[in-house]
Amino acid sequence: MRPKKSLIALTAAALLFAGVSACGTTGGNTTTSPPPSNTSAAPVSGDLEIFSWWVAGSEALGLQELVKVLNAKYPDIKFINNGASTGGGSAKDVLQTRMAGGQPPDSFQVHAGAEAQDYINAGQLQDVSNLYTEFGLTNVFPASLVAMLTQNGKIYTIPSNVHRANVIWASVKALDKAGLSKTDIYYNDMASFIAALDKAKTAGIQYPLAVGTTWCQVHLLETVLIADLGPDKYKGLFDKTTDWNGPEVAAALADFGKLMSYTNADRGDLDWEPALVKVLDANAVFTIMGDWVPAALDSRNLKDGTDYLWAPSPGTKGVYDFLADSYGLTTGAPHPAAAKAWLDVISSAEGQTGFNRVKGSIPARTDIDLSTFSAYQQAASASFKNDAIVPSIQHGAAATIQQGNATGQAVSKFTTSPMGADNLKTLQTELAKAFA
Ligand code: GAL
């Protein structure tokens, strides 16, 4: 049974979010000297089964970049992604069911932070500290990030990338239609954002804020909590110095309810990418989503500044809402040598460069030259280095799987209700319970 809460997760997360430099001791993502290469590959053959939710659209294209490096370095390995879709929501349930049924993959996608600690506590991940030494990784990741993957001095997974969750995206076409600024979409606070949504509505865009299913709504909610509480009080939600039952959370939830009233009625059926398409088609103006969005925009050949704009989500300038994907070696992995090869690839400079360039994230390695990455990624990297870092709820940095599930249930119950005062009160009580 999974423990209710991991103190170690909180300690590790506290390390990262107590203002420890995101660059750790390694100096950031700007070094121009060639990054050290991982150990030369010993021949490995046979199947490699991973579980990742990068199974469709632009995310699958990102994963494909890792597979290219795998194929070049380990040509005799047959790569199989036996994953499931829906961006971290039900995919995690599918994975847990398989693990509980004694059918673990060789390696699986897991978020750094509380979510990774869940699997560590459940004994489902092996200690891969030796691979950090073997692959020369000891000093290439931010120390604070590695701390989130460590328990009792043992490191359990290897990060492939770092994403920012608090970003708002708009299409220029939709901004034009809505009569809103086509050069700047940063809104200082919820009130000014809501005024813009009203303006778009008046211009005939009925549901100006596009959102997808429950996990996308939780994603939206966390950005509102960050904006309304500010980074310090938001972090306090996870170490109990901020009261989930207090008036500030109540006010943030009221803002979330208000934002939800501007969203598309078919949200329950959509993942993040179809929600984004509503913005691209000018049926909505904005969506608030993590920076896997650029991959979808690139794959449609759309250009930053000309076709679309981005900014920190309303009220969150100066804050980086953090999440990182990582992979480990599963306990009972059927093909451990192939899993090790996978970890070699995802942690290598070649793997992190090819993959992140397409995925939209920034490399977790701090020794990669970003000058050939997009302007967006360079800006995200600067924000990761300089801004206040806070942990994502939806993407496992702040919330255990149990807390994430309880949050999803509470949000879904609310957003499928009339979203009135009573429903808001219930939402607040249930969120407080989820993080108690
Ligand atoms: C996140 C994951 C990202 C991206 C996103 C949408 O949880 O960390 O890499 O895949 O889901 O699917």
Side-chain angles (χ1 to χ4, degrees):
M1 263 211 70
R2 227 178 301 118
K4 203 161 169 235
K5 179 166 3 192
S6 160
L7 283 177
I8 293 150
L10 287 178
T11 313
L15 238 180
L16 179 65
F17 304 117
V20 175
S21 161
C23 311
T25 52
T26 50
N29 277 330
T30 49
T31 314
T32 46
S33 57
S37 199
N38 288 354
T39 182
S40 60
V44 185
S45 59
D47 287 354
L48 161 66
E49 186 197 330
I50 71 149
F51 183 101
S52 163
W53 59 81
W54 300 329
V55 292
S58 51
E59 305 205 298
L61 294 177
L63 183 64
Q64 200 45 43
E65 292 300 312
L66 287 171
V67 176
K68 278 185 203 162
V69 179
L70 180 79
N71 289 342
K73 203 163 180 182
Y74 297 94
D76 299 327
I77 289 182
K78 183 171 169 233
F79 176 83
I80 304 159
N81 178 14
N82 203 358
S85 69
T86 73
S90 65
K92 286 179 208 165
D93 297 339
V94 174
L95 175 63
Q96 300 249 304
T97 307
R98 280 194 206 158
M99 305 263 256
Q103 291 182 312
D106 294 311
S107 183
F108 60 90
Q109 180 178 0
V110 56
H111 290 120
E115 185 183 310
Q117 294 290 336
D118 260 359
Y119 292 98
I120 297 170
N121 291 333
Q124 291 169 329
L125 284 166
Q126 298 188 41
D127 175 13
V128 291
S129 314
N130 60 324
L131 298 185
Y132 274 72
T133 316
E134 187 176 333
F135 298 157
L137 303 175
T138 311
N139 293 314
V140 300
F141 298 121
S144 44
L145 171 53
V146 175
M148 298 177 78
L149 307 166
T150 303
Q151 191 165 300
N152 297 331
K154 297 174 178 165
I155 315 175
Y156 286 88
T157 62
I158 302 184
S160 52
N161 59 309
V162 171
H163 268 304
R164 183 182 196 184
N166 59 319
V167 192
I168 183 166
W169 310 88
S171 72
V172 171
K173 192 160 95 181
L175 289 166
D176 194 32
K177 189 167 154 189
L180 293 168
S181 165
K182 288 183 279 174
T183 53
D184 186 4
I185 57 164
Y186 182 66
Y187 295 94
N188 272 319
D189 50 28
M190 286 303 143
S192 55
F193 184 44
I194 288 167
L197 294 171
D198 276 333
K199 195 164 173 196
K201 240 179 141 161
T202 309
I205 304 180
Q206 202 188 353
Y207 300 114
L209 180 59
V211 77
T213 191
T214 305
W215 79 263
C216 304
Q217 297 162 24
V218 174
H219 185 119
L220 176 66
L221 168 63
E222 78 183 47
T223 68
V224 177
L225 287 168
I226 296 166
D228 283 1
L229 298 178
D232 290 337
K233 285 188 182 158
Y234 171 81
K235 284 188 282 183
L237 292 170
F238 314 112
D239 66 9
K240 297 192 196 305
T241 53
T242 301
D243 182 7
W244 277 98
N245 279 310
E248 287 167 312
V249 172
L253 296 182
D255 275 340
F256 170 65
K258 181 87 181 141
L259 291 191
M260 285 303 300
S261 71
Y262 294 91
T263 64
N264 41 298
D266 61 352
R267 57 195 175 232
D269 302 326
L270 307 180
D271 205 347
W272 67 270
E273 198 161 343
L276 172 69
V277 169
K278 286 183 184 285
V279 173
L280 303 181
D281 290 345
N283 291 322
V285 186
F286 305 103
T287 194
I288 291 176
M289 193 31 68
D291 58 9
W292 35 94
V293 164
L297 298 167
D298 287 351
S299 70
R300 290 169 174 81
N301 208 19
L302 297 171
K303 301 285 174 243
D304 186 353
T306 317
D307 300 311
Y308 67 90
L309 301 185
W310 64 270
S313 58
T316 69
K317 202 173 241 174
V319 184
Y320 187 102
D321 183 12
F322 160 94
L323 64 125
D325 296 296
S326 73
Y327 288 84
L329 175 56
T330 313
T331 305
H335 316 101
K340 185 178 156 188
W342 174 244
L343 297 177
D344 175 22
V345 165
I346 65 128
S347 62
S348 68
E350 304 89 303
Q352 297 225 339
T353 302
F355 166 66
N356 285 292
R357 216 186 250 133
V358 172
K359 182 72 161 58
S361 36
I362 51 175
R365 288 182 74 118
T366 54
D367 58 351
I368 291 176
D369 177 10
L370 293 191
S371 60
T372 59
F373 281 61
S374 70
Y376 171 77
Q377 285 164 311
Q378 293 182 27
S381 169
S383 166
F384 185 50
K385 266 181 256 165
N386 302 322
D387 289 348
I389 297 183
V390 300
S392 167
I393 298 174
Q394 170 54 37
H395 305 284
T400 63
I401 293 184
Q402 226 170 35
Q403 290 168 333
N405 285 344
T407 303
Q409 277 157 18
V411 166
S412 163
K413 188 162 153 189
F414 174 70
T415 60
T416 53
S417 76
M419 300 196 280
D422 287 355
N423 311 110
L424 273 171
K425 189 69 214 132
T426 306
L427 173 62
Q428 185 167 13
T429 308
E430 291 184 354
L431 290 176
K433 215 167 132 202
F435 287 89

